[in-house]
Amino acid sequence: MAEPIRALCDELIKAVNVMMEAESSQTYRLEALKFIEEFKEKSPFCVECGLQLAEKSQTAVVRHFGLQILEHVVKFKWNDMAPQEKLQLKNCTMGLLSDGTHPILQEECHVKDALSRIVVEMIKREWPQHWPDMLKEMEALTAMGDAQTELVMLVLLRLAEDVITFQTLPTQRRRDIQHTLTQNMDSIFTFLLGILQLHVNEYKKMIKLPFFLSLQAKAHWRVGVATLNTLAGYIDWVALVHITSDNCHLLEILCLLLSEPELQLEAAECLLIAISRKGKLEERKPFMVLFDEVAMNYILSAAQSAGGAALCNQSSGGIVERRYTFLKRLCQVLCALGSQICSLVGSDFEVQVPLNLDKYMEALFAFTTHPSQLLRSSTQMTWGNLFRHEILSKDAVVGQMAIKYLRAARISLVKTGFPSKNDCPGCEFSRVDFDSDEDFNCSFNSFRAQQGEAVRLACKIVPFEAFQIAREWVQYQICTPIDTGNTTSKTEKGLCSALSLTAVQWDAMTFFTESVLGQLFKILEKEKIPIDEGMELLQMVVNYETRDPLILSCVLTIISSLFPFVTHQPHFLPQVLFKIFPSITFELVEECKAPRTRAVKNLRRHACSSIIRICRDYSDFMLPCFDMMYEHVKKLFSSELLLTQMEKCALMEALILISNQFKDYNKQKAFLKELMAPVTAQWLSEEMKSVLLDPATFLAYVGADQVISDADTEDQMGINRSRISFCVNTILGVVKRARWPANPEEAKAGGFVVSTASDGAPIYRNPCAEPLQALLPNLFALIRTQNNLFLSENINRLSKTFTRVYDIMDVEKNFALGIPQPLLDAYDSSAYRNIAERMQGFFSSLYDNCYHVLGNAGPCMQQDFYAIEGLAEQIVGSAFTHLDSVPDHRLRPLVHILYLMIFLIKNE
């Protein structure tokens, strides 16, 4: 029988070599593969051939193929084999484990993996019923050398993966094996820890010698890595008592290994799995041993020294990937440890604030100040949990660290480190972690939101220190000359900075200051607020002059954040308003007809929002300045070129908000009539009525039926679209902002109460009701016309230039799909949209705003709205006309806003 087997082995070896030779043709390779597969299925000599091919005298490829044959036999023919054949194959396989491989550093990894798979497949079929001494045999193998020890570790790891992780065997067998593993877990962990300590100690001894790079040292290192990987496969699912037994001896060993460069990554991964375990609090209480002096010193040392180690590739000058991966794991370990301490301290199990909390926070702080954006962001949630914790937040150590954290935020909030740049050390890490600048920008925005929350929580702990840090930063930026850098670019008639270094720093400072000041006035008592320092700072900001729209926008944000100080010194209010109003009409180059840049448009919009916000939050305080503001707004309205229609609407909303403090129904009604007079005249004109009633006339009026061949052609009908938008936006602003006094007594005295309900509650009237009632019929006509636009005959009236103007906006598509907006770095570029995009935006916003008007009309006008004659018929005849033709994405405002109003009408 030996000769046929030898001949067959020779044929198999030849076939394998044909497959591996580069010069072999595709035909020969396929024939060889077919021969091998047929042999696996039909040959009666599989075991014998497999064993001969697996001998270590063969090449690695041939041996691997022989092991594959044996694995195939065990997986698919084991149940058909006689008991004696099974025993023979098991003994031969154990022989391969003990003496069938090359030394640990010479043997190929794929051969080790293949051999371990065979053993695991036999264990899955025989243990524990027919192989009760398997664990003892594995333990005995480890005494035979490093190569055998590594193979045993691979077997135990693969067994845990197949049984627990991947569950690649029948349910009953899986339960039997898992139950037996659980029963023997004490001995398994004792065995693994013994192996780990033995080889780590030997490794440490040898690396201290001059010949520390010897093969023997590497062999011990290889076994240590394999043992740690095996431990990681068990720590994830075994009972916590095995991890925390013997006063958390395992965790202490893992902490010690953090100082070993060649073993620290695997040790950190084991530590992370252990500390991240969930379970009952009393079972997790032993994890506090990691806050002991020795363990925490090792963690702190690793955290503070690994940063430099991650950038020590002398040949390429880049990042050492293994060291950087260790950094990430260690950061995760610290975050998981923070989660454990936040859960345990203050619980029912009498866990005190650890004595080495300061060292833990120093270790966490090392990652918070690391150049890597990914590492910085990973720590933010942990800081938030610590600063939010009821007990920890009151500890003096946490208070001191909160100050350090706030000072460090002045650096980490600055948006630098883009992977496409080389302007800071973080760029090198970003090229590893992010595929593009867009990915980095999306991640940074999320990080900034998390850090903003942590800054606000830290401000609650140390409010005065937080204010001083913000104050110093603002003063520093004001006194620092603007550095436009290389990102400043020229327009045709002026200069405009893009994201210069100064603008980026102003942006970060503004976010920080806004986060701090937003909390300061909430948590401090009135008499403790640093009014003098705040007013001094506000004076500096108001006096600061710049023509950079990006920085000027930051100035507006800081003024809004500091505005509560003005309430303590009202005489300063006019200076604040005179600082904001010029930004509403800001032009980079005066009397320039070129399209405004994106930065300029954002600044003007920001200024309008600032005025609205101040008038909304401090309307009673703004009342003495109403006449001054009203006169100024009239002057601005007198020039058609100074303001856009949207900016006019914003200023009107601000005035309406202040008028709510008149507390005089007749006076407020007269003001609203006067304010809305131009809109009322235009909206109720015969020309506008004819446009709003007929779809064909409407399309012609807005220019949607015109063919535009040249993109640079002046938009002749743009003024008509702006008129319609201005009227609708004004009506929307009125219904959103006009209100009666919140105090019932003041409302009654001012004439806002018309009667009382059956339960005695006052029934109010809104001073805007009468002017609005006259405008609603045309609004219903416009809604009906917009629905009719989707009929086929009206769609055919669209010119080829505007065939897609009814499609969903790209911004809405991206939002629905979760696609982040593209990174806009060219703030000095024109905020230009072609005529088709402007037409699409017009139809989309007009449709939504009409329904917003209807949705707000009920709460605003109250009974005056629901008492309109034939209201239900008008709504049905407009909003519900031809809904079968309206695209689904247009129905959103109808469903979200109008449904509530219909419900109220039904119950009226």
Side-chain angles (χ1 to χ4, degrees), residues 167-297:
Q167 302 184 1
T168 59
L169 64 168
T171 303
Q172 188 56 48
R173 285 297 301 147
R174 180 175 61 81
R175 289 175 179 171
D176 291 343
I177 295 175
Q178 183 174 351
H179 178 70
T180 309
L181 280 173
T182 302
Q183 285 183 325
N184 291 275
M185 198 53 65
D186 280 335
S187 60
I188 291 175
F189 260 70
T190 301
F191 166 65
L192 292 176
L193 282 178
I195 294 294
L196 180 63
Q197 287 184 291
L198 172 65
H199 288 274
V200 168
N201 291 337
E202 291 298 319
Y203 172 73
K204 287 183 177 180
K205 290 178 184 178
M206 291 185 176
I207 61 174
K208 294 179 181 179
L209 301 176
F211 52 92
F212 69 94
L213 291 177
S214 65
L215 295 179
Q216 191 59 42
K218 289 184 178 180
H220 288 301
W221 161 74
R222 183 72 66 81
V223 175
V225 170
T227 307
L228 287 170
N229 289 335
T230 302
L231 277 170
Y234 283 82
I235 291 175
D236 189 36
W237 58 273
V238 300
L240 281 174
V241 65
H242 299 297
I243 300 173
T244 58
S245 63
D246 195 15
N247 198 23
C248 291
H249 183 53
L250 169 62
L251 300 182
E252 290 183 348
I253 293 175
L254 295 176
C255 288
L256 294 176
L257 292 179
L258 294 178
S259 62
E260 297 296 334
E262 301 301 328
L263 296 170
Q264 60 185 189
L265 174 58
E266 290 76 16
E269 289 177 340
C270 286
L271 204 55
L272 174 61
I273 296 172
I275 301 176
S276 300
R277 286 286 302 272
K278 305 298 181 183
K280 296 180 180 179
L281 287 178
E282 63 266 28
E283 293 178 345
R284 289 186 277 160
K285 185 177 178 180
F287 285 151
M288 296 299 292
V289 74
L290 293 175
F291 284 92
D292 290 348
E293 187 74 19
V294 176
M296 190 51 63
N297 281 340

Side-chain angles (χ1 to χ4, degrees), residues 629-772:
M629 274 190 61
Y630 194 17
E631 290 301 319
H632 188 71
V633 170
K634 287 179 179 178
K635 291 180 181 179
L636 294 178
F637 280 18
S638 63
S639 175
E640 288 290 334
L641 299 178
L642 279 179
L643 299 173
T644 65
Q645 305 290 15
M646 183 180 296
E647 291 160 358
K648 290 180 180 179
C649 291
L651 292 178
M652 292 172 68
E653 287 188 44
L655 291 172
I656 294 172
L657 286 168
I658 301 177
S659 73
N660 291 334
Q661 294 300 319
F662 288 171
K663 299 175 183 178
D664 184 325
Y665 176 83
N666 293 324
K667 181 180 179 180
Q668 188 175 357
K669 177 182 175 182
F671 162 72
L672 290 174
K673 280 188 175 182
E674 180 182 345
L675 186 68
M676 296 178 62
V679 173
T680 302
Q682 191 173 81
W683 187 247
L684 298 180
S685 66
E686 291 300 323
E687 179 189 17
M688 187 64 72
K689 286 184 179 180
S690 63
V691 168
L692 300 180
L693 287 171
D694 181 56
T697 307
F698 180 83
L699 291 175
Y701 185 76
V702 301
D705 61 348
Q706 297 181 359
V707 177
I708 308 298
S709 56
D710 186 1
D712 296 328
T713 302
E714 185 177 354
D715 188 2
Q716 300 290 341
M717 299 300 178
I719 186 65
N720 292 341
R721 295 196 298 273
S722 68
R723 287 171 182 164
I724 297 176
S725 296
F726 177 59
C727 291
V728 174
N729 289 337
T730 301
I731 297 171
L732 177 59
V734 172
V735 298
K736 284 172 60 179
R737 304 300 186 182
R739 287 295 182 270
W740 51 86
N743 188 310
E745 295 300 325
E746 293 178 344
K748 184 177 181 180
F752 292 91
V753 177
V754 292
S755 62
T756 57
S758 57
D759 59 354
I763 297 177
Y764 301 101
R765 58 176 177 170
N766 197 314
C768 73
E770 184 178 329
L772 286 178

Side-chain angles (χ1 to χ4, degrees), residues 404-437:
K404 291 184 65 175
Y405 175 86
L406 290 170
R407 294 194 180 280
R410 296 187 301 180
I411 298 175
S412 58
L413 281 172
V414 179
K415 187 185 287 189
T416 57
F418 283 92
S420 64
K421 299 181 179 180
N422 290 294
D423 54 0
C424 70
C427 297
E428 193 73 32
F429 293 96
S430 295
R431 280 189 279 275
V432 175
D433 296 324
F434 304 104
D435 294 331
S436 63
D437 284 358

